[in-house]
């Protein structure tokens, strides 16, 4: 059964299954970055020549509910994400739609995203997990802007659960095709650095969230 936001129960369950544990050896996934408490994997997307990414990290002293709340708080993200140029959520025909413009370095054009998202707290084999899904959509109410490239292929899923102590385990899937004339090697380099930086930034944001409230 699909909800009005566009995500079905099956999609949430599938996201959980895909994010359970580290990426398997083989199967097209390869290790890209390994650091303390963090691992990033990728596999090629044959259609675009780009990659899909899976990231797994441990956030010490950050409760899972807090981490999920911070991720969903778009107003707060404007404060901690320096790449945000414009970000808001609006109701279009009964569906909550997010508009997000991302700053790109000169001389490249900024990119923008139009997407839907949802969060569900699920019971997964006796464990409570917070699952967030997002995917790009096209709505005539938010047309493309001159000088900004619209990203029409964007997908992200995030699963957060307790680490059994005072922190949480974070698993993330990410894919987008930024379009334009950016070389694929540059896009992949940006993802290699951008995904770890994003997780690092959201951890810092979690620690400062109490100051915002």
């Amino acid at each position: 059964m699909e909800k009005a936001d566009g995500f079905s129960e099956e999609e949430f369950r599938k996201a959980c299954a895909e994010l359970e544990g580290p990426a398997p050896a083989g199967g097209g996934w390869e290790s890209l970055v390994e650091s303390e408490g963090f691992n990033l994997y990728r596999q090629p997307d044959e259609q675009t020549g780009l990659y899909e990414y899976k990231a797994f990290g441990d956030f010490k002293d950050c409760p899972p509910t807090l981490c999920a709340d911070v991720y969903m708080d778009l107003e707060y993200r404007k404060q901690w994400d320096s790449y945000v140029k414009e970000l808001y959520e609006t109701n279009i025909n009964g569906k909550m739609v997010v508009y997000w413009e991302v700053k790109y370095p000169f001389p490249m054009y900024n990119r923008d995203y139009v997407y839907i998202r949802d969060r569900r707290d699920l019971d997964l084999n006796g464990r409570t997990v917070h699952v967030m899904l997002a995917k790009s959509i096209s709505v005539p109410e938010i047309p493309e802007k001159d000088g900004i490239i619209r990203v029409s292929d964007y997908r992200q899923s995030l699963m957060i659960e307790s680490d059994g102590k005072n922190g949480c385990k974070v698993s993330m899937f990410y894919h987008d095709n930024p379009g334009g004339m950016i070389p694929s090697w540059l896009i992949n380099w940006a993802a290699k650095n951008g995904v770890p930086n994003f997780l690092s930034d959201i951890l810092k944001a979690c620690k400062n969230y109490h100051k915002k409230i």
Side-chain angles (χ1 to χ4, degrees), residues 6-203:
F7 293 103
S8 65
E9 180 73 19
E10 181 181 357
E11 286 179 285
F12 276 92
R13 296 292 176 181
K14 182 179 179 181
C16 288
E18 291 177 342
L19 291 173
E20 278 272 67
W29 291 97
E30 63 173 306
S31 177
L32 186 61
V33 176
E34 292 186 16
S35 62
E36 184 177 353
F38 176 82
N39 292 280
L40 177 66
Y41 301 84
R42 70 178 183 182
Q43 76 170 359
D45 182 338
E46 295 180 357
Q47 293 183 342
T48 63
L50 303 175
Y51 287 90
E52 299 175 335
Y53 298 88
K54 283 185 180 180
F56 303 89
D58 295 305
F59 288 1
K60 296 180 180 179
D61 301 319
C62 179
T65 301
L66 170 63
C67 187
D69 289 345
V70 168
Y71 176 82
M72 293 296 291
D73 192 332
L74 296 183
E75 286 301 314
Y76 183 46
R77 183 166 182 171
K78 296 176 186 178
Q79 300 178 31
W80 62 263
D81 189 342
S82 61
Y83 291 98
V84 170
K85 177 67 180 295
E86 186 176 5
L87 180 62
Y88 63 85
E89 191 169 31
T90 185
N91 188 316
I92 298 178
N93 299 323
K95 180 179 295 184
M96 297 307 295
V97 178
V98 177
Y99 175 81
W100 174 34
E101 182 184 343
V102 181
K103 300 174 186 175
Y104 268 60
F106 180 84
M108 293 184 287
Y109 292 110
N110 285 357
R111 265 62 177 174
D112 67 2
Y113 300 71
V114 177
Y115 65 94
I116 54 174
R117 63 178 190 151
D118 192 23
R119 167 186 172 178
R120 293 193 198 177
D121 301 335
L122 306 176
D123 182 291
L124 188 65
N125 301 320
R127 294 145 41 210
T128 298
V129 296
H130 308 285
V131 186
M132 282 71 72
L133 300 183
K135 63 182 177 183
S136 54
I137 63 169
S138 177
V139 291
E141 290 84 356
I142 308 180
E144 296 184 25
K145 301 178 181 179
D146 291 338
I148 301 175
I149 295 177
R150 176 65 48 88
V151 177
S152 58
D153 182 10
Y154 163 69
R155 288 172 285 127
Q156 185 176 27
S157 55
L158 200 69
M159 185 171 76
I160 304 170
E161 63 179 304
S162 173
D163 64 359
K165 300 177 182 179
N166 297 320
C168 63
K169 296 188 292 183
V170 179
S171 306
M172 184 176 76
F173 169 88
Y174 183 84
H175 167 79
D176 78 4
N177 182 354
M181 301 301 292
I182 305 177
S184 59
W185 66 265
L186 180 57
I187 296 172
N188 295 323
W189 177 89
K192 181 178 179 179
N193 293 272
V195 173
N197 289 342
F198 171 76
L199 292 175
S200 176
D201 287 345
I202 198 171
L203 177 58

